């Protein structure tokens, strides 16, 4: 079956999709995206992803109705679901990408008349259970997040820093790269938020540290608080990671991945910690219950 994608209001075969070479997403990286995960044909936290997209679009001047109104949000929601269904997928990775659209060759977004909207859905090849039993190994990136830049809080298509950080880490034999901010505090991974566990507390860098307010990060904090686990969002020094009892990273695709080694040294005992295991099990239970509940309401 040919892959079907959504482009500007139409579901079409991937081979037929065309974008303008003058699209400002291509020319200048003036765009945003959301990566979501579907379980059993249900897109988890779709509303949260669309709310974040809406706020981000408003913050960078993408004010077209499809991105900044309730009606537009409902249209995008229906388009995401339709793309998933058109590809007959149950467990999938969905990406919604929006840009300022076609305009003049000069960096003047006022020449763009309407945004470009693309949605893709592909079968999710989840990591094997064994990876969650050994955890990720991470390296420190030479790149830095700028906590003073609003871009650090956006899921922008200007993603080259994340790619460079991840490429360098993979080339050195690591699974993930961790980035500090310009003040030297821990920020996030190249594609994930980070959490540390010490003395019964769950600590994660604050949004003000220059991190993306991750949707999975938000769910983890909700689950932890519901389980009476003390959560702290603040500036985090790098040495706290090295000294932590356990750590993990989170994003929509990975869910919760134990972080067991950093720069060739073990974090804690060098294996997934008990709190990480507890939160991963609770996260997956929460997803199952949410999917079941929402399907019953449909």
């Amino acid at each position: 079956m040919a892959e079907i994608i959504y482009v500007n209001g139409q579901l079409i075969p991937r081979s037929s999709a065309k974008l303008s070479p003058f699209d400002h997403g291509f020319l200048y990286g003036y765009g945003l995206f959301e990566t979501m995960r579907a379980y059993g044909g249900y897109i988890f936290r779709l509303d949260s992803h669309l709310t974040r997209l809406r706020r981000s679009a408003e913050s960078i001047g993408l004010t077209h109705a499809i991105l900044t109104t309730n009606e537009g949000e409902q249209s995008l929601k229906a388009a995401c679901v339709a793309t998933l269904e058109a590809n007959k997928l149950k467990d999938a990775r969905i990406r919604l990408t929006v840009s300022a659209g076609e305009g003049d060759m000069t960096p003047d977004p006022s020449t763009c008349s309407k945004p470009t909207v693309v949605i893709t859905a592909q079968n999710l090849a989840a990591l094997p259970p064994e990876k969650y039993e050994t955890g990720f190994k991470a390296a420190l990136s030479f790149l830095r997040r700028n906590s003073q830049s609003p871009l650090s809080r956006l899921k922008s298509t200007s993603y080259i820093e994340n790619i460079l950080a991840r490429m360098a880490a993979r080339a050195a034999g690591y699974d993930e790269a961790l980035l500090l901010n310009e003040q030297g505090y821990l920020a996030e991974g190249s594609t994930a938020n980070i959490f540390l566990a010490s003395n019964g507390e769950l600590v994660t860098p604050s949004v003000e540290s220059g991190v993306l307010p991750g949707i999975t990060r938000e769910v983890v904090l909700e689950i932890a608080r519901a389980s009476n686990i003390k959560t702290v969002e603040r500036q985090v020094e790098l040495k706290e990671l090295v000294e932590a009892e356990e750590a993990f990273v989170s994003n929509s695709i990975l869910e919760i991945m134990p972080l067991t080694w950093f720069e060739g040294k073990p974090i804690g005992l060098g294996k997934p910690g008990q709190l990480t295991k507890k939160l991963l099990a609770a996260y997956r239970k929460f997803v199952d219950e949410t999917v079941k509940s929402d399907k019953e309401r449909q």
Side-chain angles (χ1 to χ4, degrees):
M1 174 180 161
E3 182 178 348
I4 303 299
I5 68 174
Y6 175 100
V7 181
N8 295 331
Q10 292 185 304
L11 288 167
I12 57 177
R14 175 175 173 172
S15 59
S16 301
K18 294 180 176 62
L19 295 178
S20 169
F22 295 100
D23 190 292
H24 278 215
F26 171 70
L27 289 177
Y28 301 110
Y30 188 11
L32 302 163
F33 73 98
E34 293 287 333
T35 300
M36 299 161 280
R37 181 166 174 173
Y39 299 83
Y42 171 85
I43 304 174
F44 183 63
R45 286 281 167 127
L46 175 54
D47 288 339
S48 296
H49 281 281
L50 293 177
T51 297
R52 182 173 67 181
L53 179 70
R54 178 176 178 174
R55 290 171 179 166
S56 298
E58 290 171 343
S59 73
I60 64 171
L62 287 178
T63 57
H64 192 277
I66 197 170
L67 302 176
T68 58
T69 66
N70 290 331
E71 294 79 6
E73 192 169 304
Q74 291 305 310
S75 174
L76 289 177
K77 182 176 182 178
C80 289
V81 173
T83 305
L84 182 68
E85 292 176 346
N87 287 282
K88 303 186 185 307
L89 295 173
K90 296 297 182 181
D91 300 316
R93 179 190 190 112
I94 301 98
R95 172 165 164 148
L96 165 60
T97 308
V98 300
S99 78
E102 184 177 17
D104 288 349
M105 196 167 68
T106 56
D108 181 2
S110 69
T111 64
C112 303
S113 60
K114 62 179 181 179
T116 294
V117 179
V118 177
I119 304 171
T120 58
Q122 296 181 337
N123 188 56
L124 178 67
L127 291 175
E130 294 78 19
K131 193 61 181 177
Y132 289 85
E133 295 170 6
T134 58
F136 268 12
K137 298 177 181 179
L140 184 65
S141 175
F142 67 94
L143 295 162
R144 294 290 182 266
R145 283 281 183 262
N146 180 2
S147 65
Q148 304 305 306
S149 170
L151 293 180
S152 66
R153 298 160 182 76
L154 304 179
K155 211 165 178 66
S156 163
T157 54
S158 300
Y159 212 62
I160 190 67
E161 279 192 353
N162 301 64
I163 293 172
L164 291 175
R166 196 178 194 201
M167 284 174 58
R170 293 288 179 86
Y174 294 93
D175 301 293
E176 177 62 299
L178 302 184
L179 289 80
L180 305 179
N181 65 20
E182 83 288 356
Q183 301 175 62
Y185 290 105
L186 188 62
E188 59 188 353
S190 66
T191 61
N193 291 113
I194 184 168
F195 289 82
L196 316 179
S198 293
N199 301 317
E201 293 184 352
L202 186 64
V203 180
T204 191
S206 60
V207 172
E208 292 74 21
S209 297
V211 310
L212 179 76
I215 303 302
T216 306
R217 174 184 183 273
E218 176 184 283
V219 176
V220 170
L221 290 171
E222 289 176 12
I223 291 172
R225 289 164 184 157
S227 302
N228 294 317
I229 298 167
K230 183 178 180 181
T231 62
V232 183
E233 299 174 68
R234 59 168 171 80
Q235 291 181 323
V236 179
E237 294 186 19
L238 183 60
K239 69 176 183 178
E240 294 182 67
L241 173 63
V242 178
E243 298 170 355
E245 295 166 8
E246 52 187 290
F248 61 85
V249 293
S250 67
N251 67 29
S252 294
I253 303 302
L254 290 173
E255 302 177 324
I256 293 173
M257 173 59 71
L259 186 62
T260 52
W261 289 78
F262 175 66
E263 290 286 334
K265 296 180 180 179
I267 296 173
L269 299 176
K271 59 182 181 180
Q274 292 304 310
L275 180 58
T276 301
K277 292 179 180 179
K278 177 181 178 180
L279 288 171
L280 176 57
Y283 182 91
R284 289 176 170 169
K285 180 181 178 182
F286 180 78
V287 169
D288 288 343
E289 291 175 348
T290 301
V291 171
K292 181 180 179 182
S293 175
D294 281 16
K295 281 185 173 181
E296 289 175 349
R297 288 200 295 267
Q298 291 175 356

